Amino acid sequence: MIMGLTGDSKSQLLCQLAELVKEVSGLPECRNSCKKMHGTLVRRIKLLSPLFEELRDGNEESMVKIEEIKGFELLKSALDSTKKLLQSINEGSKLYQALQKDQVAYKFQQMTETIEAALSEIPYDKLDISEEVREQIELVHAQFRRAKGRPESPDLQLEHDLAIVQKEKDLDPAILKRLSDKLQLRTINDLTKESVALHELVIASGEDPGERIEEMASLLKKLKDFVLTENPEADTSEGEMGLMKHRSPVIPDDFRCPISLELMKDPVIVSTGQTYERSCIQKWLDAGHKTCPKTQQTLLHTALTPNYVLKSLIALWCESNGVELPKKQGTCRSRKAGSSASDCDRTAIIALLEKLANGNSEQQRAAAGELRLLAKRNADNRVCIAEAGAIPLLVELLSSTDPRTQEHAVTALLNLSINDSNKGTIVNAGAIPDIVDVLKNGSMEARENAAATLFSLSVIDENKVAIGAAGAIPALIKLLCEGSPRGKKDAATAIFNLSIYQGNKARAVRAGIVPPLMRLLKDAGGGMVDEALAILAILASHHEGRAAIGQADTIPVLLEVIRTGSPRNRENAAAILWSLCTSNVEQLKIAKDFGAEEALKDLSETGTDRAKRKAGSILELLQQLEVKEDAVSLSSL
């Protein structure tokens, strides 16, 4: 069966492995007695990610050989089983896992041995991967190998406490406190969830609960009594919940928008990593600001990424504190047409769609232009237009022979893509190849708006792959060279975002991205130095990117930026220099010849935290180089 795998099947298998590692890495932190075993296994699996990413993103010639597939097949099966085990540990009864610790530890040991056996079937020396990745994977394999013969040491204190609490009636509160903390059963809410988990355990077994379940129920009762004794207000009845809603709990700082200082309803992340309430940061951006309000750093792009994790935490906090959950934004269907300036006119939109579908060329052009303006105006319109079915019709107009109609269509899609749910609808309508075609062959305005649309769509990770595969990157590089200042920035932000995906880094390098970036980097008055450095920094993490950057005589320019640039640019320049010097001693010698030591010493004292780390690392390499050169000089005497 393995021998019958095609190239596509191999690629699919590698994608599945990469996705499995991503899913395991993204599992919530374990909050029970298995925390150490769970965390260790997740950490080791996470370190496998670079192997599959690099193999998946390689070209066809570097696709793994037939005889190497066996290990990957075995590893996929092992990771599937591991994911199920980790999920069951997170979702299952904490008391059951503590009392059945030997069986649980045995399952973790089995998973460790299975993964190690699969890794043993993969000949890393035959794979077309970078030296850094090979070293990392061999190190991870060694960790699994050691863990295979070294089972997790038991938690003697937990065993002792569980034995006492099951035998004695008059218990020392200190023992219950230790168990409550160790099992993360500190609140009535925690204990309620545990009670549900125990109930589901009984149902799943399909048998008589038996003594073990009775023991757990008894232990749960003791822990509940302890929690209520420690915190009498914890047992909130329905009547007390009503009173609770009238209290004013202190909102955690992390849940407040840095702009409005109010509890966030729709938290989003900007390019600097800061989180804001969507409506507040959108007003800031709409006012023409180009910086992050909190850090004052220049924003690399204006895309807003939903912070789903924080939104969930806020919802949990609201529920626990009797605070009314933030209301979701309604759609146009829940509003009366014309009830306020922000509401959409559904009747007018449907009339425009009729013209798009059945009108003549002039009517189509005019209707696309009106939809473009309506979609730009407000969020309600963007929802209404999409719900009315406009997106597939606008995608059809992307191939219109009328340049103005094409411009209106691609810009309308750009404005609609601001809404996150619309992004998926646009891609599902088959828009990406047509948008790329506009990027290649449209008018300059259409090309620039096509670039902005691709950037907007590429915020979703899977779209990065599809956009790169559709041939967008060479066209974006061409726009980077030919466009207006705004067009160049749109092209640069799109290239940056696409290059987060490893495979697109290679595409960008092979399409000749480095020379134009070097021209932008050297043109201080062109206003593109920030963007050029950001893209180079992300490309430098790829071996082809490092080689191309090194061949472009980049080091003198990077050192000048380190000496005179902004804090963010100095940081990016140091990151690029670090990538060059750690992988190539010749580049290190060039840096030394151009006076890197003095510039890096200053950066190690005055730069950002990341810049200081990079500078310190390069300085160590320079010192090692000097020692070697001195040794060579002495030996020649």
Side-chain angles (χ1 to χ4, degrees):
M1 185 173 70
I2 292 170
M3 293 297 290
L5 284 173
T6 63
D8 286 343
S9 299
K10 297 177 198 175
S11 178
Q12 184 181 13
L13 175 60
L14 293 171
C15 287
Q16 290 170 344
L17 282 164
E19 188 59 29
L20 269 172
V21 172
K22 183 179 177 182
E23 288 171 2
V24 169
S25 303
L27 290 174
E29 182 184 1
C30 182
R31 290 165 52 90
N32 56 41
S33 58
C34 300
K35 181 176 181 179
K36 185 178 178 183
M37 292 186 293
H38 186 288
T40 300
L41 190 53
V42 169
R43 175 177 53 78
R44 287 173 180 155
I45 290 172
K46 191 174 183 179
L47 291 171
L48 296 172
S49 179
L51 171 64
F52 305 123
E53 289 179 0
E54 192 156 308
L55 286 173
R56 181 190 61 188
D57 301 338
N59 54 38
E60 287 298 323
E61 289 75 20
S62 66
M63 186 63 70
V64 289
K65 302 177 181 66
I66 292 294
E67 63 267 25
E68 295 158 5
I69 287 291
K70 181 184 177 184
F72 291 126
E73 290 272 351
L74 293 172
L75 189 57
K76 179 181 178 297
S77 176
L79 292 179
D80 269 324
S81 300
T82 301
K83 186 180 82 167
K84 290 173 184 174
L85 171 63
L86 295 172
Q87 287 174 328
S88 69
I89 293 296
N90 268 333
E91 297 163 3
S93 163
K94 297 174 179 179
L95 288 173
Y96 179 81
Q97 290 162 16
L99 292 168
Q100 301 288 324
K101 56 194 174 302
D102 292 338
Q103 291 92 322
V104 174
Y106 176 69
K107 289 180 182 178
F108 274 92
Q109 192 65 19
Q110 277 187 314
M111 289 300 100
T112 297
E113 291 175 5
T114 306
I115 294 171
E116 194 280 328
L119 291 173
S120 296
E121 295 289 337
I122 302 172
Y124 313 115
D125 57 332
K126 295 182 181 178
L127 300 178
D128 186 12
I129 54 177
S130 63
E131 186 177 347
E132 299 98 311
V133 170
R134 181 176 291 109
E135 288 176 354
Q136 178 169 323
I137 299 305
E138 288 175 349
L139 178 63
V140 179
H141 189 182
Q143 290 176 356
F144 274 103
R145 197 158 44 240
R146 285 196 300 272
K148 184 177 69 169
R150 190 177 58 200
E152 190 74 29
S153 56
D155 187 333
L156 298 177
Q157 182 69 63
L158 177 62
E159 290 183 6
H160 177 263
D161 289 344
L162 284 170
I164 290 177
V165 84
Q166 290 175 82
K167 291 177 183 177
E168 299 183 11
K169 291 184 179 180
D170 297 324
L171 293 167
D172 182 350
I175 294 176
L176 289 169
K177 176 72 167 62
R178 281 198 299 270
L179 281 176
S180 176
D181 289 341
K182 174 68 73 173
L183 301 177
Q184 295 285 303
L185 296 172
R186 297 184 175 120
T187 67
I188 292 300
N189 188 39
D190 292 336
L191 291 161
T192 301
K193 290 179 181 177
E194 176 63 18
S195 178
V196 172
L198 282 175
H199 180 65
E200 290 177 350
L201 185 66
V202 173
I203 294 172
S205 68
E207 301 172 358
D208 183 81
E211 291 184 2
R212 180 61 75 181
I213 296 295
E214 289 181 12
E215 288 173 5
M216 287 188 277
S218 173
L219 180 50
L220 188 63
K221 176 68 168 61
K222 291 174 183 177
L223 286 170
K224 182 178 180 181
D225 291 342
F226 167 74
V227 169
L228 289 174
T229 302
E230 290 290 297
N231 181 13
E233 293 187 1
D235 189 14
T236 50
S237 64
E238 287 185 13
E240 290 169 329
M241 282 299 292
L243 292 172
M244 196 174 178
K245 290 182 181 178
H246 296 287
R247 298 173 188 165
S248 299
V250 178
I251 301 172
D253 288 342
D254 289 342
F255 294 174
R256 294 179 184 270
C257 173
I259 297 175
S260 69
L261 301 181
E262 298 292 331
L263 181 68
M264 287 186 278
K265 301 177 181 65
D266 188 7
V268 293
I269 306 168
V270 298
S271 67
T272 58
Q274 299 296 325
T275 296
Y276 299 93
E277 173 62 31
R278 184 186 292 276
S279 60
C280 295
I281 191 64
Q282 192 62 59
K283 285 179 184 176
W284 171 268
L285 296 172
D286 290 345
H289 297 291
K290 304 293 184 186
T291 56
C292 172
K294 190 171 182 179
T295 67
Q296 299 304 309
Q297 289 177 292
T298 301
L299 294 171
L300 285 173
H301 53 74
T302 57
L304 304 177
T305 305
N307 192 334
Y308 293 117
V309 174
L310 184 60
K311 192 170 185 177
S312 298
L313 291 174
I314 290 172
L316 283 171
W317 179 86
C318 289
E319 188 177 349
S320 301
N321 288 276
V323 175
E324 186 176 354
L325 288 169
K327 289 181 177 142
K328 294 179 181 177
Q329 186 178 17
T331 68
C332 60
R333 287 176 178 153
S334 63
R335 301 172 182 262
K336 294 180 181 178
S339 63
S340 76
S342 66
D343 288 349
C344 66
D345 187 341
R346 190 169 182 81
T347 304
I349 288 171
I350 290 174
L352 290 172
L353 263 59
E354 175 63 27
K355 292 179 181 178
L356 279 189
N358 301 311
N360 59 35
S361 59
E362 289 186 7
Q363 289 173 323
Q364 286 182 327
R365 181 170 62 244
E370 287 194 51
L371 287 170
R372 166 185 179 173
L373 295 174
L374 284 171
K376 183 178 181 181
R377 193 167 297 160
N378 59 57
D380 291 321
N381 284 353
R382 289 190 277 276
V383 174
C384 287
I385 291 168
E387 288 182 346
I391 287 173
L393 297 172
L394 289 167
V395 171
E396 284 184 26
L397 290 183
L398 291 174
S399 48
S400 169
T401 55
D402 177 59
R404 194 64 179 152
T405 301
Q406 194 179 64
E407 287 171 15
H408 288 328
V410 76
T411 310
L413 289 170
L414 167 62
N415 295 335
L416 289 170
S417 72
I418 295 169
N419 178 293
D420 288 328
S421 62
N422 287 349
K423 288 179 170 66
T425 308
I426 292 168
V427 172
N428 291 337
I432 287 176
D434 291 324
I435 296 171
V436 172
D437 191 59
V438 173
L439 177 65
K440 292 176 179 177
N441 304 309
S443 66
M444 183 55 74
E445 180 183 347
R447 289 171 63 195
E448 292 179 351
N449 287 338
T453 308
L454 291 174
F455 162 71
S456 178
L457 297 176
S458 70
V459 170
I460 299 172
D461 285 344
E462 53 263 37
N463 292 347
K464 292 179 175 69
V465 183
I467 293 168
I473 291 175
L476 287 169
I477 295 171
K478 189 176 181 185
L479 182 61
L480 186 66
C481 299
E482 301 174 352
S484 67
R486 182 183 71 84
K488 287 181 178 181
K489 285 190 179 291
D490 285 336
T493 51
I495 292 167
F496 175 86
N497 215 39
L498 290 171
S499 296
I500 293 171
Y501 169 61
Q502 190 79 351
N504 287 336
K505 293 175 187 175
R507 288 191 176 104
V509 173
R510 292 166 194 166
I513 183 69
V514 172
L517 290 177
M518 290 305 301
R519 289 194 293 272
L520 294 173
L521 186 56
K522 293 174 183 177
D523 181 14
M528 292 289 292
V529 172
D530 296 7
E531 289 82 357
L533 276 169
I535 297 170
L536 286 168
I538 203 167
L539 294 177
S541 65
H542 190 278
H543 64 280
E544 290 185 42
R546 284 194 297 276
I549 294 168
Q551 291 167 8
D553 297 325
T554 317
I555 287 178
V557 186
L558 294 176
L559 290 173
E560 184 60 27
V561 173
I562 289 172
R563 293 186 185 102
T564 63
S566 66
R568 183 62 177 270
N569 286 350
R570 295 176 79 201
E571 178 184 308
N572 277 331
I576 300 164
L577 186 63
W578 178 85
S579 293
L580 295 176
C581 291
T582 52
S583 61
N584 190 320
V585 71
E586 294 304 318
Q587 297 289 341
L588 185 63
K589 290 178 180 177
I590 293 170
K592 179 187 175 186
D593 293 341
F594 278 96
E597 189 170 0
E598 184 179 348
L600 290 169
K601 282 181 178 176
D602 178 64
L603 184 63
S604 68
E605 296 172 358
T606 62
T608 64
D609 289 343
R610 180 168 176 252
K612 288 177 180 177
R613 289 196 301 272
K614 297 297 183 185
S617 180
I618 303 169
L619 285 169
E620 286 181 11
L621 292 173
L622 287 170
Q623 290 170 1
Q624 292 169 12
L625 177 64
E626 190 172 342
V627 169
K628 288 180 182 177
E629 289 178 341
D630 288 345
V632 170
S633 298
L634 288 171
S635 65
S636 63
L637 293 176

